[in-house]
Amino acid sequence: MASPPPEARLTDYERIREENIRRNQTILASIRRKAAELSATIPPSSPKRRKYERRAKPASPAGPVVLRRSLRTRGVPPGESSASAGANISLAEPPSPPELRTTRFSSSLASSLRDAAAAAEPPPGPEGAICAADGFDPGRELVLRRTNARRVVPDRILSVRILPLADRTMVVTGDKLGHIGFWDVDGLVEDDEDGDGADGVFLYFPHRGSVGGIVAHPTAPQKIYSSSYHGEICLMDVEKESFNTIHLCDYPIFSLCQAPDSHSSLYFAEGNDLKLFDERTGKVSTTWNLHDHRINSIDFRPENPYMFATSSTDRTVCIWDMRSVQKKGPKSLKVLDYNRAIQSAYFSPSGNMLATTSLDDTVRIFNLDNFDDSCVLDHNNKTGRWLSTFKAIWSWNDNNLFVGNMKRGIDVISVDRSQKSLSASYTTFLESEYMTAIPCRFSLHPYKVGHLAGASSTGKVFVWTRA
């Protein structure tokens, strides 16, 4: 008996599948045939030969090559990135003296800075500084006038300082790009012909990285020091209106501070190391490895040139005594632990309290006589990557703190230490139609109670004064 044809043994599904395969093969054959006919009508073109060009041999670097260091050799855990942890970040090449871009000071400002050089001692504070500010009420007395809001530098401000000049208000700011701007708040420039310094603003470009610190000592206000994330420390020559690079580091400098009893002693944080630089010798005399990650602030206790506090991204605040800090295995007087990085730790004007600002969304105040006597205030410190971090600073007395907020205003915290336990609360919210950006960093005028400068990420500065 003859076997049935193969098609008869197929199921309906298999038969439809075979028909689809044959139809697709027919369509593909037709497409290939048309493609062959089309390619035959196009004349072949001979490929062009590329002309060989001899490349110049790259020149060898003139300066020494800076070797990168691994996380292990820097003591940084592998789970933390060196950028976020603030560990020593290697530069691609060693810094070199920056090109100077100078403007011209007004005659009145230049004379004020020159006259300050002749003063051996700082002018006395207004009737004892702290005592004179006891009755000061920021919420009732501080106002922001339209003329006291000015853009000083092109980009985001990371550092701001009011110079210790008794006769005028002079604000110095440093931005993310390396600019340093001077703003003479007291008046317009009279002898300005080419437009530089209009409305008392003078712009310079001394750094190649973000300006993380600006300091000027009360005993030598004409000596203006600045530091950058590019590892530079510069000293401004007021006479020539130029910046001289006095020290270069291999890693970023995150904070800068001066010793209270010496204007030539500079303390700076190079990553997680604290270093002492003597401007008279031009050398770093001492280095201490104080934290596991970057140091965000350095502050000396008033009336005590030996005690200072440091805050760090390693989630600790440490208080040190300069006389007992050792180079190897330094031990602090007190360690305050947090859950997140701490951006600042500053002593109160009397030196009896310490205020900290942390990324755990808190502002904390400690009684230095008893650290268990403290208070914690909730504060939104999530500024993100486009804003400078908030740093709460003390007022001219121990009664108030100033800290920026995300509502384009300033929170005023009232502190009471007179009772048995320390207490603090929000009492005032400073806002103005002229403050068009979020104030992140602040500086007080050391001799004029009621002159508060707030700096923003738009390059603007807002100077609040007494009504």
Side-chain angles (χ1 to χ4, degrees):
M1 182 176 179
S3 60
E7 291 81 359
R9 296 194 299 268
L10 299 176
T11 63
D12 292 342
Y13 169 78
E14 292 174 338
R15 188 180 303 105
I16 294 173
R17 180 174 177 273
E18 291 295 331
E19 292 176 357
N20 289 337
I21 292 175
R22 287 194 293 271
R23 184 170 59 254
N24 291 339
Q25 289 176 346
T26 303
I27 294 174
L28 289 174
S30 175
I31 292 174
R32 293 192 186 99
R33 184 170 57 255
K34 291 181 179 179
E37 295 174 355
L38 181 61
S39 61
T41 60
I42 301 176
S45 59
S46 59
K48 296 182 179 180
R49 299 181 62 182
R50 298 181 62 182
K51 184 179 179 181
Y52 175 76
E53 296 180 357
R54 183 180 297 274
R55 295 183 179 179
K57 184 178 180 181
S60 59
V65 178
V66 179
L67 299 179
R68 296 182 178 274
R69 296 169 60 192
S70 65
L71 295 178
R72 179 182 60 80
T73 59
R74 284 182 268 155
V76 180
E80 298 275 1
S81 65
S82 60
S84 62
N88 295 333
I89 302 174
S90 173
L91 301 177
E93 59 182 8
S96 59
E99 296 180 359
L100 299 178
R101 173 192 171 185
T102 60
T103 58
R104 180 165 50 86
F105 276 155
S106 65
S107 58
S108 59
L109 175 58
S111 62
S112 293
L113 294 175
R114 284 192 296 266
D115 293 343
E121 297 293 334
E127 300 178 7
I130 294 178
C131 296
D134 280 343
F136 175 66
D137 185 355
R140 181 173 53 86
E141 298 185 48
L142 287 182
V143 295
L144 177 61
R145 297 177 174 85
R146 181 181 60 84
T147 55
N148 284 348
R150 184 79 74 250
R151 187 174 188 182
V152 181
V153 287
D155 211 280
R156 175 160 62 98
I157 297 175
L158 285 87
S159 54
V160 58
R161 181 76 58 181
I162 298 182
L163 295 183
L165 301 174
D167 60 340
R168 66 194 311 126
T169 302
M170 182 66 182
V171 183
V172 188
T173 61
D175 73 357
K176 179 182 177 181
L177 301 179
H179 297 93
I180 289 184
F182 290 75
W183 179 20
D184 183 11
V185 183
D186 292 329
L188 303 179
V189 178
E190 299 177 356
D191 56 349
D192 185 48
E193 298 177 356
D194 53 4
D196 286 338
D199 293 339
V201 174
F202 306 86
L203 184 64
Y204 299 83
F205 194 25
H207 293 285
R208 295 190 296 171
S210 301
V211 181
I214 298 173
V215 294
H217 201 275
T219 61
Q222 81 285 357
K223 286 193 171 184
I224 303 166
Y225 299 91
S226 57
S227 63
S228 77
Y229 289 5
H230 208 80
E232 306 155 331
I233 297 180
C234 291
L235 171 61
M236 184 180 185
D237 188 330
V238 175
E239 295 292 335
K240 298 180 180 179
E241 294 187 50
S242 62
F243 289 80
N244 300 318
T245 303
I246 60 175
H247 185 66
L248 295 174
C249 301
D250 294 334
Y251 302 100
I253 299 175
F254 294 109
S255 55
L256 183 68
C257 182
Q258 285 180 299
D261 57 346
S262 174
H263 63 80
S264 60
S265 298
L266 296 174
Y267 292 83
F268 66 92
E270 184 181 356
N272 54 347
D273 291 338
L274 179 66
K275 296 189 175 184
L276 171 58
F277 175 81
D278 193 335
E279 192 261 329
R280 295 168 296 183
T281 61
K283 296 180 180 180
V284 172
S285 59
T286 313
T287 300
W288 303 277
N289 185 256
L290 300 185
H291 288 271
D292 294 333
H293 300 309
R294 62 177 279 182
I295 300 174
N296 294 316
S297 69
I298 311 164
D299 189 44
F300 280 87
R301 187 176 183 179
E303 307 301 331
N304 190 335
Y306 303 108
M307 185 177 293
F308 65 97
T310 55
S311 66
S312 173
T313 305
D314 66 5
R315 306 175 183 178
T316 64
V317 172
C318 296
I319 299 177
W320 313 85
D321 190 326
M322 187 67 63
R323 295 165 294 187
S324 60
V325 178
Q326 301 176 356
K327 293 183 179 180
K328 294 184 179 181
K331 294 183 179 180
S332 60
L333 300 178
K334 182 68 178 179
V335 178
L336 305 174
D337 294 313
Y338 290 71
N339 296 324
R340 298 289 300 276
I342 302 98
Q343 298 302 316
S344 64
Y346 297 132
F347 290 102
S348 65
S350 68
N352 295 323
M353 291 181 286
L354 183 77
T356 66
T357 313
S358 171
L359 293 184
D360 64 359
D361 289 340
T362 63
V363 174
R364 304 188 187 187
I365 302 101
F366 295 89
N367 186 346
L368 295 187
D369 294 333
N370 179 14
F371 282 94
D372 293 333
D373 184 16
S374 63
C375 55
V376 181
L377 294 178
D378 294 331
H379 190 272
N380 181 14
N381 295 328
K382 292 183 174 64
T383 54
R385 61 179 299 185
W386 305 114
L387 300 176
S388 299
T389 52
F390 290 142
K391 294 186 177 184
I393 69 167
W394 289 92
S395 178
W396 292 266
N397 52 37
D398 285 12
N399 298 334
N400 298 292
L401 284 163
F402 299 109
V403 60
N405 60 44
M406 300 298 289
K407 299 179 181 179
R408 297 182 181 179
I410 304 174
D411 285 324
V412 180
I413 300 174
S414 178
V415 182
D416 186 4
R417 190 172 172 264
S418 59
Q419 303 298 327
K420 294 182 179 180
S421 61
L422 185 66
S423 63
S425 61
Y426 292 101
T427 56
T428 305
F429 174 69
L430 298 177
E431 59 181 339
S432 170
E433 60 178 317
Y434 305 121
M435 193 155 62
T436 56
I438 298 173
C440 300
R441 303 291 169 86
F442 297 92
S443 179
L444 304 177
H445 198 302
Y447 305 126
K448 294 183 179 181
V449 175
H451 282 60
L452 170 68
S456 70
S457 293
T458 63
K460 283 189 174 182
V461 177
F462 311 96
V463 177
W464 293 72
T465 58
R466 275 180 161 173

